Amino acid sequence: NGGKVKIKLKVTVEDVKGMDKGDMVKGSDVTIDMDGDGTGIYSLAVPVGVKSGKYILTADMVNEAGETKDTKSVNLDVSDS
């Protein structure tokens, strides 16, 4: 990627008791501005009250025109300690 892009990240519910699939975890949405190629760092402390279950972290790469050019996602499992 040679131009400026935004990386939009969010964590959503996949399978959590008492929550709806697709709901976004409050405070998990972050946008990182990038100039060309590089590495963006995303860090999220597990918010108080987050329930055990399965979540999805999604990263969308959006160009200057607002078009989503790429999307990556990874599954997250949260369990009681």
Side-chain angles (χ1 to χ4, degrees):
N1 171 47
K4 293 183 179 186
V5 297
K6 293 183 182 290
I7 308 299
K8 295 185 175 187
L9 301 118
K10 64 182 176 185
V11 176
T12 54
V13 172
E14 176 64 16
D15 184 17
V16 179
K17 185 177 179 179
M19 298 181 76
D20 293 327
K21 183 175 181 173
D23 283 352
M24 187 171 58
V25 174
K26 184 178 180 181
S28 71
D29 56 325
V30 173
T31 300
I32 300 170
D33 292 319
M34 304 280 298
D35 282 327
D37 294 333
T39 301
I41 298 174
Y42 176 77
S43 177
L44 173 69
V46 178
V48 174
V50 168
K51 298 178 180 180
S52 296
K54 298 183 183 296
Y55 296 84
I56 298 175
L57 170 63
T58 303
D60 295 321
M61 183 177 71
V62 180
N63 67 12
E64 291 178 284
E67 302 167 318
T68 299
K69 295 310 237 177
D70 196 10
T71 298
K72 303 284 186 206
S73 62
V74 64
N75 295 328
L76 305 172
D77 290 318
V78 175
S79 60
D80 294 331
S81 43

